[in-house]
Amino acid sequence: MDIDQGTSPATTPPDSDAQRKRKVHGMLKLYYGLNDEGKGSDQAESLDPCDINGPHFDPEVYLNKLRKECSLGELMDQESCMVKQIRSLDSDMQTLVYENYNKFISATDTIRKMKNDFKKMEDEMDCLSANMSAITEFSAKISGTLQDQHTQITKLSGVHTLLRKLQFLFELPARLNKCLELQAYAQAVSSHRRARCVLQQYSHMPSFRGIQDDCNAIMEQLAQQLRQKFRDGGSNAKDLSECVELLLQLDEPAEELCDKFLSHAQSRLESDLQGLEAELRDPVSPSKPATTETSAALKKGASSAAGSPTDASMHSGNPFLSGASKTDILEFIDRGCNEFVSNLCLVIASYQELFINRPQEGELASKNIPEMARGKLHAFVDALAVRYFSLVERRIQEEKGVGDNSLLVRALDRFHRRLQAVTKLLPGSSVPSQGTEIVVQAARERIKQYLSALQSFYLDSLTDVRQALAAPRLSMGGGTGGGGLLGGGTSGKDAPPNLPELLASFSASILNQIKSVLASVHLFTAKDITFSNKPYFKGEFCSQGVRESLVVSFIKFICQSSRQFCESTGDRGGSTPPALLLLLSRLCLDYETSTISYILTLTDEQFLVQHHSPVTAVTALCAEAREAAQKLLNHYVKVQGLIISQMLRKSVETRDWVNTIEPRNVRAVMKRVVEDTTSIDVQVGLLYEEGVRKAHSSDSSKRTFSVYSSSRQQVRYAPSYTPSAPMDTNLLSNIHKLFSERIDIFSPVEFNKVSVLTGIIKISLKTFLECVRLRTFGRYGLQQIQVDCHYLQMYLWRFVSDENLVHFLLDEIVGSAAHRCLDPAPMEQSVIEVICERG
Amino acid sequence: MEDDAPVIYGLEFQARALTAQTAETDAIRFLVGTQSLKFDNQIHIIDFDDENNIINKSVLVHPAGEIWHISASPADKSVLTTCYNKTSESRVVTCAAVWRMPPEWESGSHESPDDSSNNPQTLELLCHLDNTAHGNMACVLWEPMGDGSRVISLADNHAVLWDLQESSTKAAVSSSATLEGKGQLKFTSGKWSPHHNCTQLATANDTAIRGWDLRSMSQIYCIENAHGQLVRDLDFNPNKQYYLASCGDDCKVKFWDVRNVNEPVKSLEEHSHWVWSVRYNHSHDQLLLTGSSDSRVILSNMVSISSEPFGHLVDDDDLSDGEDGHQEEKEPLQDSIIATYEEHEDSVYALEWSSADPWLFASLSYDGRLVINRVPRALKYRILL
């Protein structure tokens, strides 16, 4: 042990008390065989027989070893060290023994003391148990004595309760009566409910029967009163609800109650409806005419004050404004909403409160009242709504005037908005969708009305234009018309009225009308209108309704009505003034070039049309307009041509050309032809561009003279033709024909002045030619034709695109006249010129 | 199937009058009357040799005056009437006369066609239709399919029915009708209906078409404002008794059912100037010819209002086998213009179907050009098969 410490004094701290102590403990443990620790180190040392602390220590080996290895001194030291150690071990041992001995003695003392105490306790416990048994005995004795009295008391208290109940029963009729008097129905019903079962149970006993009967009678009376109250219905909703609740508790059949409630409500609502109907029937509601009028007046004042100036002007100036003698639709709808719809909502709300939304308890729950009640309510609401809707529809249908659409839209909006309340109250009802349907229908109807209004406006404007054209031109300002070379002669008669202005105002008024109609229709889709977000108003209304049915239809109508002017009056020249044809043609052409696309763009922009279904393309409409314009212009040419033709034909047919006198003048009819042509030229020039002519030199009139006189010469030589060569008469004109294109007389014209005039002159001269060929001429007849033709050629060439055309036709006329002449002796060219110059 | 080119014949004079030789059913023969104020007028007899496409002409002198209208007797090949202008003492009067062609014209012309102009034979006058009481003759109409003894003359506002007696050498007025009304009414043309036992006549004056019953000489119907302007010509549908076609200065051709005079059955507007003449084909009434002063001749196929609206009626039983395919491809023809003939360079005043060959017709323009044309073969076979 300490040998180790001794051998390595440097490594081990010399005085560590705790360590030493533990070592001592370890020794002791070892000693007592508790070697559960430090096994590793022990085993390492265990095999060394020289380890003085190891278990395998062999003193002999150890001694031998010491003796062999150590010197005497060392042995001496070793021995003294050993003695010292033995001594300390001895003293330790003694201390230990002593200590343990002391402990053992004190333990023995304690045990002895305990033995004495337990003995004493045992005695006391015995005493306690004896006492307890004595107490038990006493208690049992007491209980036995008190038993009888206790049962008696219990019985007495039971009797007391019963008696009180009986008293309640006996007093019940009186109490109920009192409640009835005080109208404390709720108390009465609850009292009765409490007693009811008992009475029912003991009804076989006469006395109870009497009470029951009394009670029933009273309750009957009460129920009667409740019903009365319910029927009167004047009381507020709370009372009513209480009333219904009580009645339900009184086993009143819920179905009957519902029916009663509804029928009662129906009578009220019906009176509302009748009020509406009466209003519908009479122009002014008889019940409150004064208020109606004043409110109408107020409204009118407000609208005209607030509305834009155009609005106001529409009010005053629009020809389609209905006579607003009756209440306007807004007022009507207002009344409908305020009276009928709000009452209906009230009824629905209170009904739901009463029958549907009530928490159901007990037996009532089993009857499934809400289901039944809801069914009834739906049927009731539907029936009334149908009547209401029919009234509204009738009223809307009466709304024919298209003047102020905002009123209608506002009315519809209000109508629609108020129905939303019903939706909220009564989800799943078909009423709101029907209402929407009505609104949609009204919108459709409105579009139709606007279309017809536009159409009639167009026709009216057309009539105005017609009148303006027919009116004497006294009001003609400045010298816009009547220009041209023969202005003095024409201005009084056929000078065009201010055509461009007329056209401009006509077209502007139509455009304005379209715009205002669009604006009116646009109200239907305004953001603050409740129904504007319905799918119909977002899609179909814009594309199919406004764009197609309204705008496109109107444009088509214009084209069609224009075309009708060509067809219906086509035969006899008709009653349509030619100027109107010209004006309409220009209008259609303007539509083709700009107006149509403008209108459609405007529409598309305003209505944000999203085309789900195919719509008429702008190009198709333009083509239609162009076609109409072309037809009208062709017709104009035809009509004007015919008017001139007619003059020429009459002048040729009615004259005796064989026996006529030598020409001294140009015939008046030719002057008239030139005058008319000039005025037509002016007229067309007001609306159409000049157009292109075939280029001709500045001395064109001279040149034409030469061409003309060459044909004259041919005529002059006519008598010398030999029979052998009769074909030569026609040679020149035949050659001409060979090289010139065939002339289509009634051919389509282009949209310019020259083309129009060319068409008219072609028709006139061709007629002249054909008429001349049917007549026979004398010498002077031929000469007269010569003079006339020369006169015509002097003036007409300037109007046409290709002056050769005029020359050719005039040559043909003179040539034909020469052929048809009995004595073809043509006049000298110079003489002709002199006569023509003289006029 | 190439169509034959048109055959063109030029007259020396201007001409308006053209007729087929109605009684001749073997040879294709047309008569043309000239209009000349200075020279003797002629009647050209145009014989068309269909096989060789050659024209043979003979000329007969018509010394009485320029010819405005000509028509051939339906019974006697050699008899014809003309309306001609007679100028006397600076008065021009239109007269009518019945003529006989000299019997030798045929042989003579064939041998030496060149000589005919030098030494032409002259028509033999049978009788005058005396019009001193009636005014200017517009036209003379033979009784269709009659025995050549009855003619009607239209003069100013009189329609006169004549009986030709003693081999047409004497003409006696059998009855007459007068058009009454405001202003100077004048018949422009007329047509004797081949239906109803030849008891009806249709006339045109100004813009109106009137129907007359020849037994009572009274008006039976009147289409007021049939055309926007003058009615120039009319013709009866040879197969449908109530149908007639008219044409006029409004460039239109209209088809009428005389039982309903308010509305035309149909109206065509194909010409670009006055339509002077309209003719139904004698056998196939869907074929219609119109001539106009726009120098065009138009042949139209008016199937929908013809007597064979669904094509030739064929017995299905006869064609039951093997020809079904053929049957199917033969769709009903649509109303259409078949052809526009532009051979003329002046106004076409007259045209006429051949009486011998139903597929052939002649048209005459004012400059004296006569054009003989055929119906296109494709159409011909389509109608026939």
Side-chain angles (χ1 to χ4, degrees):
Chain A
M1 324 167 127
D2 281 347
I3 294 168
D4 282 346
Q5 284 175 344
T7 53
S8 55
T11 54
T12 316
D15 49 351
S16 148
D17 213 21
Q19 206 168 13
R20 232 187 94 205
K21 215 172 179 183
R22 211 180 60 195
K23 227 151 210 174
V24 173
H25 272 286
M27 293 294 193
L28 282 170
K29 269 182 190 167
L30 214 67
Y31 181 78
Y32 287 110
L34 297 166
N35 55 340
D36 56 337
E37 58 172 44
K39 272 179 185 168
S41 62
D42 285 348
Q43 278 172 349
E45 289 165 32
S46 60
L47 295 172
D48 190 358
C50 300
D51 185 357
I52 201 162
N53 290 328
H56 301 285
F57 178 69
D58 189 338
E60 287 298 320
V61 176
Y62 185 66
L63 272 178
N64 288 339
K65 191 184 169 188
L66 281 178
R67 259 180 283 171
K68 274 182 222 167
E69 289 174 0
C70 301
S71 62
L72 187 64
E74 277 172 342
L75 275 175
M76 289 299 285
D77 288 344
Q78 190 81 26
E79 197 237 339
S80 66
C81 178
M82 193 81 82
V83 169
K84 220 192 287 179
Q85 278 183 358
I86 289 167
R87 265 183 209 144
S88 85
L89 270 174
D90 252 351
S91 74
D92 278 353
M93 194 80 82
Q94 275 174 359
T95 314
L96 265 172
V97 169
Y98 178 72
E99 275 175 9
N100 284 342
Y101 182 70
N102 271 354
K103 278 179 190 170
F104 178 70
I105 287 174
S106 75
T108 315
D109 285 351
T110 309
I111 288 167
R112 192 181 297 146
K113 207 175 160 188
M114 269 173 69
K115 211 175 188 179
N116 285 342
D117 287 349
F118 272 117
K119 190 113 182 230
K120 202 174 155 193
M121 244 164 70
E122 206 166 288
D123 291 346
E124 279 176 10
M125 281 307 283
D126 284 345
C127 181
L128 185 65
S129 84
N131 283 348
M132 280 310 290
S133 63
I135 288 170
T136 313
E137 203 176 320
F138 274 122
S139 162
K141 237 183 239 174
I142 291 169
S143 292
T145 45
L146 286 181
Q147 184 74 41
D148 289 345
Q149 280 181 337
H150 179 75
T151 48
Q152 229 167 356
I153 287 170
T154 315
K155 207 172 172 185
L156 278 174
S157 98
V159 170
H160 176 74
T161 322
L162 192 64
L163 279 176
R164 272 182 60 186
K165 277 187 187 166
L166 278 176
Q167 188 189 12
F168 174 76
L169 281 181
F170 287 123
E171 281 175 3
L172 188 59
R175 186 194 292 246
L176 288 178
N177 265 332
K178 201 171 182 189
C179 285
L180 201 58
E181 270 171 40
L182 295 173
Q183 299 197 330
Y185 301 117
Q187 207 183 339
V189 170
S190 68
S191 303
H192 180 246
R193 269 183 68 202
R194 274 195 285 163
R196 195 159 48 179
C197 312
V198 182
L199 288 173
Q200 193 64 36
Q201 199 176 341
Y202 295 100
S203 55
H204 57 277
M205 291 161 78
S207 55
F208 284 107
R209 166 80 57 79
I211 294 172
Q212 192 186 15
D213 290 348
D214 282 356
C215 285
N216 283 350
I218 293 168
M219 288 321 283
E220 192 57 43
Q221 201 179 342
L222 186 134
Q224 209 63 44
Q225 277 192 15
L226 279 177
R227 267 184 228 126
Q228 185 61 42
K229 196 174 158 191
F230 180 64
R231 203 170 298 131
D232 288 350
S235 49
N236 59 32
K238 201 176 157 199
D239 284 356
L240 210 60
S241 130
E242 192 185 276
C243 199
V244 168
E245 197 167 339
L246 293 177
L247 280 170
L248 281 175
Q249 281 177 3
L250 285 175
D251 276 349
E252 197 77 12
E255 208 172 326
E256 208 168 292
L257 276 181
C258 292
D259 285 346
K260 265 187 194 154
F261 184 86
L262 290 181
S263 73
H264 178 72
Q266 181 154 22
S267 66
R268 264 185 307 166
L269 290 172
E270 235 155 56
S271 78
D272 288 343
L273 284 177
Q274 269 156 11
L276 286 178
E277 203 168 357
E279 198 163 323
L280 206 54
R281 214 177 296 120
D282 309 326
V284 174
S285 168
S287 57
K288 41 172 187 177
T291 56
T292 310
E293 269 164 26
T294 50
S295 75
L298 275 175
K299 205 160 286 167
K300 202 147 286 171
S303 79
S304 62
S308 60
T310 54
D311 215 319
S313 70
M314 266 174 70
H315 258 291
S316 56
N318 203 306
F320 335 119
L321 242 183
S322 62
S325 61
K326 62 199 304 181
T327 56
D328 60 35
I329 182 153
L330 185 59
E331 212 166 315
F332 177 84
I333 295 285
D334 253 354
R335 193 171 161 194
C337 289
N338 287 339
E339 291 177 2
F340 176 78
V341 178
S342 59
N343 280 340
L344 185 69
C345 287
L346 276 180
V347 166
I348 292 172
S350 57
Y351 181 91
Q352 281 178 328
E353 192 64 32
L354 292 181
F355 298 104
I356 298 177
N357 295 339
R358 242 154 41 98
Q360 303 288 332
E361 70 272 308
E363 42 177 348
L364 287 175
S366 63
K367 291 186 183 168
N368 208 358
I369 290 175
E371 199 70 19
M372 178 274 301
R374 196 168 289 134
K376 277 194 185 303
L377 181 62
H378 274 284
F380 168 76
V381 170
D382 286 352
L384 280 173
V386 163
R387 288 188 51 190
Y388 174 59
F389 287 157
S390 76
L391 285 178
V392 170
E393 269 176 339
R394 265 170 63 189
R395 182 64 185 85
I396 290 174
Q397 274 163 15
E398 278 177 30
E399 202 64 16
K400 296 275 189 248
V402 289
D404 189 2
N405 197 39
S406 65
L407 216 56
L408 177 75
V409 173
R410 263 159 61 202
L412 287 175
D413 177 40
R414 200 154 299 177
F415 169 73
H416 190 259
R417 199 187 294 269
R418 292 303 281 265
L419 285 179
Q420 300 310 308
V422 178
T423 326
K424 274 183 202 130
L425 282 172
L426 206 62
S429 163
S430 63
V431 171
S433 64
Q434 282 172 8
T436 311
E437 196 50 49
I438 286 182
V439 173
V440 167
Q441 196 56 45
R444 280 205 186 104
E445 204 55 43
R446 205 65 181 162
I447 286 179
K448 270 188 213 153
Q449 286 168 2
Y450 271 118
L451 179 61
S452 67
L454 271 181
Q455 290 175 350
S456 66
F457 177 81
Y458 173 75
L459 292 179
D460 286 353
S461 312
L462 210 57
T463 316
D464 290 349
V465 170
R466 214 185 250 259
Q467 275 163 0
L469 287 175
R473 320 262 136 67
L474 295 173
S475 59
M476 228 184 75
T480 43
L485 67 167
L486 292 168
T490 56
S491 62
K493 187 177 48 176
D494 254 345
N498 220 334
L499 274 180
E501 266 176 35
L502 211 55
L503 173 69
S505 69
F506 182 48
S507 136
S509 73
I510 291 172
L511 200 59
N512 277 338
Q513 196 65 24
I514 291 177
K515 277 184 188 165
S516 73
V517 162
L518 278 181
S520 298
V521 174
H522 193 241
L523 291 174
F524 277 106
T525 59
K527 282 229 163 51
D528 56 336
I529 302 293
T530 48
F531 51 75
S532 66
N533 57 2
K534 295 278 173 201
Y536 169 76
F537 283 98
K538 280 194 159 166
E540 201 194 335
F541 178 76
C542 294
S543 64
Q544 288 304 312
V546 175
R547 192 181 192 273
E548 293 296 300
S549 311
L550 189 63
V551 178
V552 173
S553 300
F554 180 59
I555 294 171
K556 281 187 175 164
F557 170 78
I558 292 181
C559 296
Q560 201 171 341
S561 74
S562 304
R563 279 204 301 270
Q564 272 169 3
F565 279 111
C566 309
E567 283 151 18
S568 59
T569 59
D571 285 348
R572 266 278 173 185
S575 54
T576 317
L580 184 65
L581 293 174
L582 192 67
L583 189 128
L584 282 177
S585 145
R586 184 69 221 189
L587 181 78
C588 287
L589 194 66
D590 286 347
Y591 266 68
E592 189 254 336
T593 49
S594 60
T595 316
I596 287 178
S597 62
Y598 171 69
I599 294 173
L600 285 183
T601 314
L602 192 74
T603 313
D604 287 355
E605 273 170 7
Q606 267 194 19
F607 289 87
L608 300 170
V609 180
Q610 291 153 348
H611 305 302
H612 299 298
S613 45
V615 291
T616 317
V618 177
T619 48
L621 276 183
C622 287
E624 197 166 330
R626 192 180 180 85
E627 190 199 338
Q630 182 74 61
K631 267 196 161 174
L632 281 165
L633 197 61
N634 287 350
H635 191 62
Y636 173 77
V637 168
K638 203 164 167 177
V639 168
Q640 293 285 34
L642 286 182
I643 291 171
I644 296 179
S645 296
Q646 216 69 17
M647 284 193 294
L648 287 169
R649 179 204 288 255
K650 283 271 140 45
S651 79
V652 175
E653 279 178 357
T654 50
R655 199 180 174 104
D656 181 359
W657 290 99
V658 179
N659 300 313
T660 187
I661 53 159
E662 191 172 0
R664 305 239 170 257
N665 287 311
V666 178
R667 282 187 301 148
V669 70
M670 294 302 156
K671 290 181 180 168
R672 179 80 196 280
V673 166
V674 172
E675 278 170 18
D676 282 6
T677 313
T678 310
S679 67
I680 291 169
D681 182 63
V682 172
Q683 194 178 51
V684 177
L686 288 175
L687 292 180
Y688 279 100
E689 297 76 37
E690 180 75 20
V692 265
R693 294 165 197 279
K694 283 200 179 158
H696 49 75
S697 52
S698 55
D699 63 339
S700 59
S701 68
K702 287 249 165 56
R703 191 169 59 83
T704 58
F705 274 134
S706 66
V707 170
Y708 195 56
S709 52
S710 84
S711 80
R712 180 72 5 83
Q713 278 174 339
Q714 173 224 337
V715 173
R716 198 176 292 152
Y717 294 146
S720 66
Y721 289 151
T722 55
S724 59
M727 286 296 277
D728 285 4
T729 18
N730 303 341
L731 195 59
L732 209 82
S733 82
N734 278 342
I735 288 171
H736 192 116
K737 279 178 198 166
L738 213 59
F739 291 106
S740 66
E741 283 174 28
R742 192 182 283 268
I743 303 165
D744 275 343
I745 305 301
F746 289 100
S747 54
V749 293
E750 289 160 29
F751 292 107
N752 60 55
K753 190 179 86 174
V754 168
S755 177
V756 169
L757 264 292
T758 307
I760 293 170
I761 289 171
K762 263 194 310 193
I763 293 172
S764 312
L765 293 186
K766 179 75 175 178
T767 305
F768 195 10
L769 172 65
E770 292 295 339
C771 291
V772 163
R773 283 182 177 180
L774 288 172
R775 302 288 295 174
T776 309
F777 295 85
R779 171 193 295 192
Y780 297 130
L782 170 65
Q783 290 182 355
Q784 183 69 58
I785 293 291
Q786 275 184 286
V787 169
D788 290 349
C789 286
H790 185 80
Y791 182 80
L792 287 181
Q793 92 91 38
M794 272 170 67
Y795 288 108
L796 292 186
W797 66 268
R798 69 189 79 217
F799 298 120
V800 300
S801 62
D802 182 6
E803 60 194 73
N804 289 330
L805 188 87
V806 175
H807 304 148
F808 168 67
L809 282 168
L810 289 173
D811 282 354
E812 280 278 302
I813 293 168
V814 176
S816 293
H819 271 297
R820 305 284 318 137
C821 185
L822 296 170
D823 179 19
M827 196 175 236
E828 280 296 324
Q829 184 64 28
S830 56
V831 182
I832 295 174
E833 280 167 26
V834 168
I835 292 176
C836 286
E837 236 109 279
R838 210 166 51 202
Chain B
M1 292 282 271
E2 210 165 285
D3 289 315
D4 295 315
V7 180
I8 299 176
Y9 171 74
L11 280 76
E12 294 89 342
F13 299 107
Q14 288 163 337
R16 280 174 183 270
L18 168 73
T19 186
Q21 197 177 26
T22 321
E24 176 62 81
T25 51
D26 297 329
I28 299 164
R29 190 169 295 153
F30 294 99
L31 307 178
V32 182
T34 64
Q35 278 196 319
S36 171
L37 289 165
K38 293 138 204 150
F39 310 102
D40 271 350
N41 282 289
Q42 303 164 340
I43 286 180
H44 288 237
I45 303 163
I46 313 293
D47 250 313
F48 181 62
D49 184 343
D50 198 16
E51 282 167 21
N52 303 317
N53 246 18
I54 295 172
I55 282 179
N56 296 314
K57 68 155 186 176
S58 318
V59 178
L60 297 173
V61 176
H62 179 274
E66 53 173 6
I67 302 168
W68 287 84
H69 186 265
I70 185 168
S71 63
S73 161
D76 189 339
K77 283 188 215 180
S78 59
V79 175
L80 60 98
T81 61
T82 59
C83 298
Y84 55 91
N85 264 10
K86 199 166 78 181
T87 313
S88 57
E89 298 152 13
S90 65
R91 265 190 73 230
V92 180
V93 192
T94 315
C95 309
V98 186
W99 308 87
R100 179 183 293 284
M101 296 190 268
E104 319 83 58
W105 67 268
E106 217 158 352
S107 52
S109 66
H110 271 297
E111 285 161 10
S112 53
D114 291 340
D115 295 344
S116 59
S117 56
N118 293 337
N119 187 19
Q121 292 177 323
T122 309
L123 283 170
E124 177 191 335
L125 176 70
L126 290 179
C127 64
H128 283 288
L129 299 178
D130 184 18
N131 65 330
T132 45
H134 308 129
N136 291 323
M137 286 288 189
C139 59
V140 175
L141 309 167
W142 291 91
E143 182 181 30
M145 296 164 288
D147 57 0
S149 65
R150 301 215 296 170
V151 293
I152 290 173
S153 69
L154 298 177
D156 280 356
N157 59 341
H158 299 281
V160 185
L161 178 62
W162 305 81
D163 267 330
L164 299 182
Q165 297 152 355
E166 299 168 26
S167 339
S168 307
T169 52
K170 198 176 157 206
V173 176
S174 80
S175 59
S176 74
T178 308
L179 188 58
E180 306 284 357
K182 270 191 273 179
Q184 275 196 318
L185 297 173
K186 257 187 197 170
F187 288 119
T188 50
S189 77
K191 209 79 185 177
W192 197 327
S193 165
H195 306 292
H196 310 292
N197 236 350
C198 299
T199 56
Q200 287 189 9
L201 170 76
T203 61
N205 67 298
D206 201 18
T207 62
I209 297 172
R210 285 162 208 277
W212 305 85
D213 188 329
L214 295 177
R215 293 166 295 191
S216 60
M217 285 311 260
S218 57
Q219 186 175 312
I220 46 179
Y221 57 83
C222 176
I223 308 174
E224 297 278 7
N225 290 327
H227 282 267
Q229 298 179 58
L230 219 61
V231 181
R232 288 283 172 192
D233 195 15
L234 43 87
D235 195 16
F236 280 96
N237 187 317
N239 299 326
K240 291 179 89 176
Q241 55 182 347
Y242 295 111
Y243 278 69
L244 64 89
S246 65
C247 60
D249 286 3
D250 57 0
C251 312
K252 287 179 185 166
V253 179
K254 290 186 180 182
F255 299 88
W256 302 89
D257 182 336
V258 297
R259 293 165 297 187
N260 175 19
V261 297
N262 297 318
E263 280 290 315
V265 179
K266 206 167 178 71
S267 177
L268 296 179
E269 191 168 1
E270 307 293 351
H271 286 288
S272 68
H273 202 243
W274 305 349
V275 188
W276 284 77
S277 184
V278 58
R279 287 287 179 272
Y280 275 109
N281 187 294
H282 302 309
S283 351
H284 305 284
D285 54 289
Q286 60 267 52
L287 299 179
L288 189 91
L289 272 181
T290 50
S292 155
S293 39
D294 65 1
S295 318
R296 290 192 181 92
V297 174
I298 292 182
L299 175 62
S300 324
N301 189 10
M302 303 305 296
V303 183
S304 69
I305 49 172
S306 74
S307 59
E308 297 176 344
F310 306 110
H312 196 57
L313 288 177
V314 191
D315 252 342
D316 283 342
D317 298 338
D318 295 347
L319 298 166
S320 55
D321 300 321
E323 296 206 37
D324 289 346
H326 181 71
Q327 191 81 342
E328 272 168 33
E329 76 187 41
K330 207 169 126 183
E331 290 162 22
L333 290 160
Q334 300 291 312
D335 288 356
S336 60
I337 293 182
I338 297 161
T340 303
Y341 300 96
E342 312 217 353
E343 282 85 16
H344 292 288
E345 277 160 8
D346 206 333
S347 305
V348 178
Y349 292 130
L351 40 75
E352 208 58 72
W353 291 95
S354 163
S355 55
D357 182 348
W359 307 106
L360 194 129
F361 58 89
S363 53
L364 179 69
S365 57
Y366 189 59
D367 55 7
R369 180 178 293 185
L370 181 84
V371 179
I372 294 177
N373 259 308
R374 295 180 184 83
V375 175
R377 281 197 193 151
L379 180 78
K380 172 174 165 181
Y381 293 138
R382 202 149 175 201
I383 292 173
L384 283 178
L385 295 177

